[in-house]
Amino acid sequence: MKLAILGFGTVGGGTADMLVKNAELLAARAGEPIEIKYIVDIREFPDSPFADKIIKDFSVVESDKEISLVIEVIGGAKIAYDFTRRALLAGKSVVTSNKELVATHGAELLAIAKEKGCFYLFEAAVGGGIPVLSPLTNELGHNEISEISGILNGTTNYILTRMFSSGASFEAALAEAQAKGYAESDPTADVEGHDAARKIAILGALASGKLFSADHILTEGIRGIRAEDVAAAAKIGYSIKLLGRYLATRSGDLFLLVAPFMIPAESPLSGISDVYNGVLVRGNFVDDVMFYGRGAGAAPTASAVVADVDKIARGVAQRPLFANAESDALTDISFFSARRYVVVEGVDANAAQIIFGETEPLSSEENAFLTVEMSEDSYLTRVKRLEACGGSVVSHIRLYR
Ligand code: HSE
């Protein structure tokens, strides 16, 4: 089997490395050697051991009949989209780690793959090295999935872990994540929750058969989390994690959201620290299943990319399928209900209690409290009332249950 890698960055380099280092093992499993014929990148890599394979022109791959599989690890949804479509239309299977492309054009690309009798697989797009998409579609596909809650972004989990363990501010923890090479120089997609939104869109699509645009997912990042909030949560046995959540209730509601949640210590999601990812899946017969591992990095992500290559080479790949969903197939997020941690200023504790109803005070230094369960709509109505009284919300974090 001869393949091409599109993009020789971190994941492309890790994938090439694994295909070479584990070549014997992979050949024994597939019954034939798996060979990298081309690596497509516009940059020069004269000192790379793969220098003789690097080409600039994708059309060479597209028209080479020997190439049956293409690994797309360019990222983004522009060139990667064009190359993926063209590869699939030429009957070549495509394996990717590109969550943005799958979350944006996955339904269309899967349909092309089906029509052409090839595969479009993306295990590496969610949870890095953690095998989660394949178990969700295969071993758990016959369960009705009522919940997927995941710590799906390593960078933000590292930042929140540092804020928890050292009391650092968000800015200081972000700078630390950047210095360690975890966060990008432009960390927007991570800290604003967009990366997690793409990942929960993909998980939700595999669970429901419907791909919701990330634009329709309520997405809140972690920029507003203060060291005081992390400390207040810790005091009552909670940690704060950025969660991507898919919830399908018995009454037929379907919610998708990304937001920081306060998580009680007894939840298995609470102990997932540093750059690790964790995904909890709840099925109607299996109950809770947890997936845990490295959600990012060259080697773990390469492991997931090569897992898909291996499945195609062994002839055991399954074709996931989902369709684009109408935005109204999601329940209006204003009905999403949760207990809430709220910090207010500008009004006294009595007024806050009258506005927010029954509350559990948390701090003597700040007007911080936990509310009873209330919908987004009800919460926002109370915030308006607070503002009309000259107060404002300093912090608001939903509680996980
Ligand atoms: N920036 C992502 C993260 C990389 O921090 O999890 C893996 O998708």
Side-chain angles (χ1 to χ4, degrees), residues 58-323:
F58 169 71
S59 61
V60 173
V61 173
E62 188 180 19
S63 58
D64 187 332
K65 299 258 178 305
E66 268 196 338
I67 298 287
S68 59
L69 195 151
V70 170
I71 297 172
E72 184 274 299
V73 281
I74 302 168
K78 292 195 176 103
I79 300 169
Y81 175 51
D82 178 41
F83 288 179
T84 300
R85 274 189 99 248
R86 284 163 59 188
L88 293 171
L89 286 168
K92 303 175 195 306
S93 290
V94 177
V95 164
T96 190
S97 61
N98 186 340
K99 55 231 99 195
E100 186 178 350
L101 185 57
V102 179
T104 317
H105 296 292
E108 179 202 345
L109 296 170
L110 283 167
I112 298 175
K114 187 178 178 208
E115 192 191 311
K116 293 289 169 184
C118 53
F119 295 95
Y120 183 51
L121 300 183
F122 38 87
E123 182 60 66
V126 180
I130 310 170
V132 59
L133 301 189
S134 176
L136 185 61
T137 28
N138 294 302
E139 289 76 11
L140 299 176
H142 58 297
N143 272 262
E144 279 177 17
I145 305 296
S146 57
E147 172 169 354
I148 305 174
S149 291
I151 295 168
L152 300 169
N153 183 268
T155 305
T156 47
N157 204 36
Y158 178 83
I159 292 171
L160 291 169
T161 303
R162 291 302 295 150
M163 290 175 75
F164 185 86
S165 56
S166 74
S169 66
F170 167 78
E171 282 75 18
L174 170 62
E176 217 180 292
Q178 281 170 322
K180 291 210 162 194
Y182 297 147
E184 318 276 335
S185 49
D186 177 5
T188 312
D190 291 317
V191 301
E192 304 289 353
H194 304 307
D195 176 73
R198 290 168 190 143
K199 291 167 177 169
I200 197 66
I202 297 170
L203 288 166
L206 292 175
S208 68
K210 298 174 201 148
L211 177 67
F212 293 94
S213 159
D215 298 344
H216 298 132
I217 299 176
L218 171 84
T219 304
E220 292 177 8
I222 64 161
R223 239 182 237 287
I225 309 268
R226 308 167 311 147
E228 292 89 333
D229 303 325
V230 178
K235 233 183 206 173
I236 53 165
Y238 284 73
S239 53
I240 299 174
K241 305 282 182 194
L242 182 69
L243 291 186
R245 302 193 72 189
Y246 164 90
L247 295 154
T249 68
R250 281 204 176 153
S251 47
D253 285 326
L254 196 59
F255 293 112
L256 271 173
L257 73 158
V258 171
F261 276 81
M262 273 176 49
I263 304 189
E266 61 269 23
S267 164
L269 289 165
S270 156
I272 292 164
S273 302
D274 295 317
V275 283
Y276 281 87
N277 282 193
V279 187
L280 179 143
V281 177
R282 181 168 299 155
N284 65 335
F285 270 70
V286 71
D287 200 27
D288 287 358
V289 179
M290 271 297 294
F291 298 89
Y292 170 77
R294 289 191 182 272
T301 310
S303 168
V305 169
V306 177
D308 283 339
V309 173
D310 174 73
K311 273 187 268 177
I312 292 171
R314 288 189 294 125
V316 298
Q318 299 284 327
R319 196 172 284 121
L321 270 183
F322 46 70

